[in-house]
């Protein structure tokens, strides 16, 4: 038999957690045809993996692919990480649906996440958006979710109240339509508007729709233990499976970031699982997160949308109230770094903390935040440090937790090479190996690979990926388990990792000898 590609002489780690073995992999078309000993003469193309590990392609269960994929079809910062499948529509904020009444509200709110790329915004539904991605082509497989926040904005805009019965039914209708179109589930972003305005009864009603479609409920929770308990209660009452997003920052708060909070969080998850709740979590291997800079102002300022928020920030009385709230909260502003601004005049402050910016400009914290948001028309991002490494390590090794990046797809050039985005956008998965397999040795090679392949595939419900087995799709990552290392830092984030030698997506060489081939062989993986 002749194969299109043979991956030879590598240590095969199949994704199940089983010990590695010596085996060649034969690929025909988009699938794995044979595993065993294959002669060179049987292959049209030979990939020599001597001294390397051959793994199923890595699956990132939580990132924001929809925000930048239309400006980065090669998905460069993720393909170079060895990732072959990514998710979109997380944290409650998907790029869809766009309703006629509140289209502008969602677009304005989403602009900072798009990192300066130019978009037509000429879609309405998730199906429209996925059609644009498919027409353009993409290097990686895309798994769509829909954001509860985007649905809520589409029906209600930015109002701080319960939906009426009619509004809730319209929200449920939009969710139902999107699930029928192939969404794998719904995500929430309860840590910022409009998720902050949402009560449990609304989430219960939406989860009923998810359950009807056998979907997954992925939640960016409010940062407190009470919300985790509410989430567990919601899961028990609706029967919907739950994925806790970016576990550390989802459950962290000022009062419990002391190395003990992770144990409390995990105990609650374990107790819920023992009582029959299908709940798991993901975590990025850093103790800092990233989001909108406007996330650092309270929810009441966001009511009415971005333009109304900006008008309020110019009001001296509003600033006085905000200052009092900041004093009461006691936040460490040296741990909140401005990572992206749009205006050229403010580029010099990218990478500086809010505290340093305030000192540099001889301003109060309140004035520094307000003036910066006004200058940027709210199109700015931040990186915030939330905990300590002990918490991260404790959560990483828990058997119900898998890795994620929670990033955006960047590139070291053009608009997506601007700013100082979180280094996870380039280095989360290589860092996971370097830190927890090679340095701390809390995970074996086989278990680390299982957690980033078959475990997320099973969680999402992808049946034909995540394991190297005959008949499965040929998504394969070939890497140097000793040399693998993330090079992206908070100071210099636009840096590809080392040690990721080859990446195959649906049978196409996408990364070859550490270089992107330009292949756009990714697929939309609808439910």
């Amino acid at each position: 038999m002749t194969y299109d590609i043979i991956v030879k002489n590598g240590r095969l780690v199949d994704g199940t957690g089983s010990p590695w073995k010596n085996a060649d992999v034969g690929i025909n078309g988009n699938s794995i045809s044979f595993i065993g000993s294959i002669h060179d003469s049987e292959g049209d193309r030979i990939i020599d993996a001597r001294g390397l590990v051959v793994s199923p392609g890595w699956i990132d269960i939580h990132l924001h692919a929809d925000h930048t994929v239309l400006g980065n079809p090669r998905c460069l910062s993720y393909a170079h990480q060895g990732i072959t499948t990514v998710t979109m529509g997380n944290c409650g904020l998907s790029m869809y649906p766009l309703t006629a009444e509140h289209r502008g509200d969602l677009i304005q709110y989403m602009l900072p996440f798009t990192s300066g790329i130019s978009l037509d915004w000429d879609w309405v539904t998730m199906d429209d958006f996925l059609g644009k991605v498919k027409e353009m082509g993409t290097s990686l497989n895309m798994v769509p979710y829909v954001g509860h926040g985007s649905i809520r904005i589409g029906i209600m805009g930015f109002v701080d109240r319960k939906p009426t019965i009619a509004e809730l039914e319209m929200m449920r209708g939009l969710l139902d339509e999107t699930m029928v179109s192939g969404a794998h589930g719904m995500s929430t972003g309860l840590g910022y508007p409009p998720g902050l305005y949402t009560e449990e009864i609304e989430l219960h009603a939406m989860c009923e729709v998810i359950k009807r479609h056998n979907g997954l409920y992925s939640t960016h929770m409010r940062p407190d233990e009470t919300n985790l308990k509410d989430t567990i209660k919601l899961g028990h009452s609706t029967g919907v499976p739950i994925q806790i997003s970016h576990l550390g920052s989802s459950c962290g708060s000022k009062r419990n970031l002391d190395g003990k909070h992770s144990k409390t969080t995990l105990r609650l998850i374990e107790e819920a699982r023992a009582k029959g709740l299908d709940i798991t979590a993901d975590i990025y291997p850093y103790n800092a997160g990233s989001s909108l800079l406007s996330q650092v102002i309270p929810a009441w300022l966001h009511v009415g949308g971005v333009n109304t928020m900006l008008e309020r920030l110019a009001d001296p009385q509003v600033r006085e109230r905000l200052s009092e709230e900041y004093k009461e909260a006691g936040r460490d502003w040296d741990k909140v770094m401005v990572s992206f601004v749009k205006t050229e005049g403010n580029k010099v402050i990218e990478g500086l903390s809010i505290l340093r910016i305030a000192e540099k400009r001889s301003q109060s914290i309140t004035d520094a935040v307000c003036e910066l948001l006004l200058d940027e028309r709210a199109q700015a991002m931040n990186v915030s440090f939330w905990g300590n490494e002990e918490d991260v390590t404790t959560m990483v090794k828990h058997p119900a937790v898998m890795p994620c990046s929670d990033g955006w797809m960047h590139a070291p050039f053009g608009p997506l090479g601007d700013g100082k985005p979180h280094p996870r956008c380039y280095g989360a998965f290589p860092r996971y190996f370097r830190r927890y397999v090679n340095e701390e040795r809390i995970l074996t090679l086989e278990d680390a690979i299982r957690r980033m392949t078959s475990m997320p595939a099973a969680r999402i419900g992808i049946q034909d990926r995540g394991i190297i087995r005959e008949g499965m799709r040929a998504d394969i990552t070939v890497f140097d388990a000793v040399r693998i290392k993330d090079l992206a830092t908070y100071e210099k984030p636009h840096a590809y990792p080392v040690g990721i030698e080859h990446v195959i997506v649906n049978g196409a060489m996408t990364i070859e000898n550490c270089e992107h081939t330009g292949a756009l062989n990714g697929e939309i993986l609808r439910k």
Side-chain angles (χ1 to χ4, degrees):
M1 186 173 181
T2 301
Y3 302 96
D4 297 333
I5 300 173
I6 301 174
V7 182
K8 284 187 62 68
N9 305 319
R11 283 191 295 161
L12 178 63
V13 180
D14 66 7
T16 65
S18 300
W20 67 268
K21 62 181 179 181
N22 291 315
D24 305 329
V25 180
I27 298 168
N28 273 320
N30 60 16
S31 300
I32 297 169
S33 295
F34 182 76
I35 300 169
S37 180
I38 309 175
H39 196 275
D40 286 7
S41 63
E42 298 179 83
D44 294 336
R45 192 171 193 175
I46 308 297
I47 303 298
D48 188 356
R50 195 180 310 273
L52 304 175
V53 172
V54 180
S55 159
W58 301 343
I59 299 172
D60 191 336
I61 196 169
H62 184 97
L63 82 160
H64 302 274
D66 50 325
H67 296 175
T68 55
V69 66
L70 293 178
N72 187 8
R74 289 188 290 167
C75 310
L76 288 164
S77 67
Y78 278 80
H80 278 278
Q81 288 190 59
I83 293 167
T84 58
T85 298
V86 297
T87 55
M88 58 173 66
N90 279 300
C91 290
L93 293 174
S94 55
M95 298 282 277
Y96 43 80
L98 292 171
T99 64
E101 185 176 0
H102 293 288
R103 182 175 181 273
D105 287 332
L106 183 60
I107 290 174
Q108 273 196 303
Y109 198 44
M110 297 296 289
L111 281 177
F113 291 123
T114 62
S115 301
I117 62 175
S118 178
L119 295 171
D120 293 331
W121 299 91
D122 56 348
W123 58 86
V124 175
T125 65
M126 182 188 79
D127 200 47
D128 296 336
F129 184 86
L130 295 181
K132 289 183 69 71
V133 175
K134 185 176 181 179
E135 181 181 4
M136 173 190 68
T138 176
S139 287
L140 306 185
N141 304 308
M142 302 280 158
V143 175
Y145 291 86
V146 63
H148 161 263
S150 296
I151 290 175
R152 197 181 208 273
I153 292 168
I155 300 301
M156 300 175 63
F158 283 88
V159 292
D160 183 2
R161 61 169 174 81
K162 296 177 184 178
T164 64
I165 294 174
E167 287 169 338
L168 185 55
E169 282 308 303
M170 286 190 284
M171 290 167 60
R172 282 163 55 92
L174 274 181
L175 176 57
D176 185 71
E177 290 173 16
T178 310
M179 296 292 290
V180 168
S181 294
H184 284 256
M186 184 190 78
S187 70
T188 55
L190 304 181
Y192 41 77
L196 276 170
Y197 311 142
T198 304
E199 297 182 6
E200 296 306 309
I201 190 170
E202 178 181 330
L203 295 177
H204 191 285
M206 300 298 278
C207 282
E208 288 176 343
V209 179
I210 301 172
K211 178 64 175 177
R212 190 164 66 242
H213 290 279
N214 296 311
L216 183 65
Y217 174 58
S218 174
T219 178
H220 169 149
M221 299 187 305
R222 299 182 183 99
D224 57 63
E225 184 181 310
T226 301
N227 193 216
L228 177 55
K229 291 177 180 178
D230 289 341
T231 301
I232 290 170
K233 182 179 178 181
L234 178 67
H236 282 304
S237 63
T238 62
V240 71
I242 292 172
Q243 183 73 14
I244 304 295
S245 301
H246 41 70
L247 185 60
S249 55
S250 259
C251 304
S253 69
K254 179 190 171 186
R255 64 180 177 276
N256 61 17
L257 296 180
D258 56 4
K260 298 177 182 178
H261 121 78
S262 57
K263 296 175 184 177
T264 301
T265 297
L266 295 172
R267 176 179 54 79
L268 290 171
I269 291 173
E270 288 167 0
E271 290 173 354
R273 289 186 61 81
K275 293 177 181 178
L277 180 62
D278 183 3
I279 182 171
T280 54
D282 49 70
I283 189 170
Y284 45 75
Y286 302 85
N287 65 338
S290 179
S291 189
L292 300 162
L293 180 61
S294 61
Q295 193 180 19
V296 305
I297 61 175
W300 58 269
L301 278 167
H302 290 267
V303 175
V306 174
N307 286 336
T308 303
M309 174 195 75
L310 293 173
E311 289 174 7
R312 292 191 182 107
L313 293 180
D315 185 334
Q317 290 184 324
V318 168
R319 293 196 189 188
E320 186 175 343
R321 177 181 170 184
L322 182 58
S323 293
E324 291 301 315
E325 291 192 19
Y326 279 164
K327 287 177 185 177
E328 184 177 341
R331 186 167 191 169
D332 185 349
W333 292 99
D334 204 28
K335 292 184 177 180
V336 183
M337 182 184 81
V338 174
S339 59
F340 170 78
V341 294
K342 191 171 182 182
T343 62
E344 195 60 38
N346 281 329
K347 286 292 181 183
V348 292
I349 60 146
E350 288 178 338
L352 296 182
S353 71
I354 294 293
L355 179 63
R356 288 285 298 114
I357 293 168
E359 291 173 346
K360 188 180 180 71
R361 295 181 170 182
S362 300
Q363 294 176 318
S364 68
I365 292 295
T366 301
D367 286 339
V369 169
C370 292
E371 292 301 323
L372 187 53
L373 286 170
L374 286 166
D375 283 351
E376 299 300 323
R377 303 299 299 170
Q379 293 187 50
M381 299 289 287
N382 84 85
V383 168
S384 295
F385 291 83
W386 53 260
N388 58 54
E389 293 295 347
E390 181 184 346
D391 270 327
V392 179
T393 299
T394 300
M395 289 184 280
V396 161
K397 64 185 179 183
H398 192 275
V401 179
M402 61 202 84
C404 75
S405 70
D406 189 24
W408 293 261
M409 296 192 296
H410 282 267
F413 53 83
L416 292 173
D418 283 348
K420 295 191 176 182
H422 197 299
R424 64 193 182 187
C425 300
Y426 286 85
F429 278 53
R431 177 182 172 87
Y432 188 82
F433 268 108
R434 173 181 65 80
R435 190 171 184 88
Y436 304 118
V437 177
N438 292 345
E439 295 177 356
E440 297 189 15
R441 298 182 181 275
I442 63 171
L443 299 174
T444 65
L445 173 71
E446 290 85 355
D447 190 38
I449 288 175
R450 180 188 65 83
R451 289 171 185 249
M452 59 177 61
T453 56
S454 65
M455 186 176 179
R459 191 59 174 146
I460 297 168
I462 302 172
Q463 303 296 324
D464 57 355
R465 301 166 205 270
I467 298 174
I468 294 182
R469 182 178 292 161
E470 293 173 8
M472 300 287 275
R473 285 301 182 97
D475 290 350
I476 294 174
T477 298
V478 182
F479 69 103
D480 188 325
V482 175
R483 202 167 61 89
I484 188 169
K485 184 179 181 181
D486 53 308
L487 298 183
T489 65
Y490 295 102
E491 294 77 23
K492 296 181 179 180
H494 295 286
Y496 296 139
V498 295
I500 310 293
E501 304 294 328
H502 310 287
V503 178
I504 300 171
V505 181
N506 295 308
M509 294 300 305
T510 301
I511 300 292
E512 187 169 11
N513 297 318
C514 304
E515 297 291 332
H516 201 294
T517 66
L520 299 175
N521 214 42
E523 297 179 354
I524 306 295
L525 305 184
R526 300 175 191 256
K527 185 172 174 61

